[in-house]
Amino acid sequence: MPETILKMTDISKVFGGVIALNKVQFELNKGVVHALIGENGAGKSTLMKVLLGLHRKDNGTIVYDGREVEFHSPSQALQAGISMIHQEVSLVHKMTVAENIWLGREQLFSKGGYLQVRKRDQETRKLLELLGIEIEPNAVVERLSIAQMQLVELARAVSYHPNIIIMDEPTSALTDQEVEKLYKIIRSLKAEGVAIVFISHKLEELYEICDCVTIMRDGTYIGTYPMSEISNDMLIKMITGRPVSTLFEKEKHELGEVVFEVKNLTHYGNCYDVNFQVRAGEVVGFCGLMGAGRTEILQAIFGIDKKDSGNVFVQGKEVFIRSPRDAVSAGIGMVTEDRLRQGAIYTMSVMHNATLAVFNRLCNKIHYNSPRKEEKLFAEKANDLSVKYSSPKAKIGELSGGNQQKVIIERWLLTEPKVLLLDEPTRGIDVGAKSEIYALIDRMSKEGKAVVMVSSEMPELLSLCDRIFVVHEGRIVFECPREKATQELLMHYAFGLEEGES
């Protein structure tokens, strides 16, 4: 019988009259990978923040390693052996990998008041090699990919030799190969008796790596089950409170004339000779392995990156894009993949995040913003998109991931675009919020917009897109209508295999 390392009983938490947690139960055993799932706003993060001491519980008990505890800060929890890897990277970008991993523990490598940099870097290299992470200790974090940053976060968490590691969406930016590497690390930690709380919205990976699952909904505990005893459909029904068949179903509609065309787009080192068209009302998808060039194609179109050659046409007219501002003027909007660094501005309010791209329209002749006009514009569109927020002036970081994403989509819809580029539009959001985003994309296409969408989730592309392009090493290598597309067929070309190869 596995030994219990953590037991949270009847945990309740109220924020300003709103019940965030209502008598929630959670029990964790040593050497077990335990999934904690639920829609955004279900209370998962709040429960973990109560455990880590970021929030103080109103009621309930926490028993950790055989004694009742109440931590008052994450550092106190960390010293007790509870570590957390956050979905949004929390590294110091100007520092090296080694400096980030040992930040606050420099005394481990100090002698006579001097930091022994070589000793610290050697220890970092040993740790990274042990975990199978191929990153140099002296690499500056800001030059790493998001996936590499997440692996550094993992290394930092493991360096504390914790009893419990909480992983929040740990695979959201990883390639298939990196995911397998992560699974290998998790299995080795599990074998050493480390207990792992695995928070994820990718249900298929729960069956791959988790032993059991606890489900939450609307701040309440729904149940805990062995993964082997619960089906995918049952899981979704428990998470959302409704059967899987009601989540999203694309309806057919007539497509119009070609609205958007890209010819011979090249950005050396990233994408080459890219050609495609999108009709009014059409959703076109791009798939491929991580690093294949999907994001780079969209960024070159939108002016985030400078293309070396190629032409872009909107409604038959060539447009010249040197910056995102030019793209917006041409009738193109883009929801970027990285919500933290390129999407939401966390120091700004929900309303200002939404109206950012149309700020000039909200100014009068002497360049002062009209608050009343801005509030009206924001509220109408937010209501239309069913954005849930407490106040227009609330910081966007207070919203769930799904609602943050809807605010970013609202930003571009307010520009009244003819073309919408969506890069991983449902990354890191729960199954219920995903269905809302799917319905929103479908509605935008019905309104006649041309939608170009990048996604790492094949079922998403297969259910939403009218046509799918496969990108391999920066080039479009295959095009397929949805009716003929299968996951196996698309992955065949994503791996660069020719017709007939296997």
Side-chain angles (χ1 to χ4, degrees), residues 205-433:
E205 70 186 12
L206 304 187
Y207 292 94
E208 177 72 28
I209 197 67
C210 298
D211 302 297
C212 54
V213 57
T214 290
I215 303 146
M216 294 181 66
R217 186 171 71 237
D218 298 331
T220 61
Y221 170 79
I222 301 301
T224 298
Y225 305 88
M227 286 307 307
S228 58
E229 294 179 13
I230 187 164
S231 71
N232 197 63
D233 285 3
M234 286 169 62
L235 210 50
I236 292 174
K237 188 174 181 181
M238 288 182 181
I239 292 168
T240 64
R242 57 194 187 277
V244 64
S245 59
T246 65
L247 292 179
F248 177 75
E249 193 170 338
K250 183 180 175 73
E251 295 177 8
K252 282 193 173 183
H253 58 269
E254 290 296 317
L255 304 182
E257 298 295 318
V258 172
V259 169
F260 184 57
E261 184 172 11
V262 173
K263 288 184 177 180
N264 306 316
L265 179 74
T266 295
H267 178 209
Y268 291 120
N270 294 292
C271 56
Y272 304 89
D273 199 28
V274 172
N275 294 272
F276 66 94
Q277 296 178 334
V278 190
R279 296 164 68 184
E282 187 177 25
V283 181
V284 164
F286 278 78
C287 72
L289 304 178
M290 192 74 73
R294 304 164 305 166
T295 291
E296 289 76 6
I297 289 171
L298 297 198
Q299 291 189 160
I301 292 169
F302 196 63
I304 294 173
D305 297 331
K306 186 180 178 182
K307 63 179 171 45
D308 292 295
S309 61
N311 310 90
V312 177
F313 300 83
V314 177
Q315 291 185 321
K317 181 183 176 184
E318 185 170 6
V319 293
F320 300 93
I321 299 170
R322 294 168 297 277
S323 68
R325 179 177 290 182
D326 292 338
V328 174
S329 298
I332 305 172
M334 180 173 173
V335 176
T336 55
E337 173 191 17
D338 187 352
R339 196 164 60 230
L340 176 65
R341 292 191 291 183
Q342 290 182 316
I345 301 174
Y346 287 86
T347 56
M348 291 174 66
S349 69
V350 175
M351 180 173 70
H352 289 336
N353 264 279
T355 60
L356 189 64
V358 292
F359 186 78
N360 289 344
R361 270 173 40 198
L362 297 167
C363 295
N364 60 27
K365 290 180 182 177
I366 52 173
H367 306 298
Y368 286 104
N369 182 25
S370 168
R372 190 172 297 174
K373 187 177 177 182
E374 184 180 18
E375 284 178 23
K376 184 172 183 289
L377 186 70
F378 162 75
E380 284 177 355
K381 185 60 76 174
N383 182 60
D384 187 39
L385 301 183
S386 301
V387 181
K388 295 174 185 172
Y389 59 96
S390 58
S391 161
K393 294 179 182 176
K395 293 287 189 289
I396 193 169
E398 296 174 21
L399 274 56
S400 69
N403 282 298
Q404 287 183 29
Q405 194 71 333
K406 284 195 272 188
V407 170
I408 304 305
I409 292 172
E410 177 180 354
R411 175 190 298 168
W412 298 112
L413 290 182
L414 286 174
T415 68
E416 300 175 0
K418 300 172 185 70
V419 181
L420 200 58
L421 311 178
L422 306 174
D423 193 357
E424 301 285 6
T426 65
R427 177 178 170 246
I429 64 177
D430 63 71
V431 67

Side-chain angles (χ1 to χ4, degrees), residues 15-60:
F15 293 104
V18 177
I19 299 173
L21 298 173
N22 185 15
K23 296 186 176 179
V24 173
Q25 322 296 318
F26 185 71
E27 187 169 333
L28 183 64
N29 294 330
K30 290 183 178 180
V32 165
V33 183
H34 193 129
L36 178 61
I37 65 170
E39 296 188 83
N40 285 327
K44 310 181 300 293
S45 295
T46 304
L47 184 67
M48 291 299 100
K49 285 176 180 177
V50 165
L51 172 62
L52 293 169
L54 281 165
H55 294 323
R56 190 166 185 174
K57 60 183 170 56
D58 295 325
N59 288 298

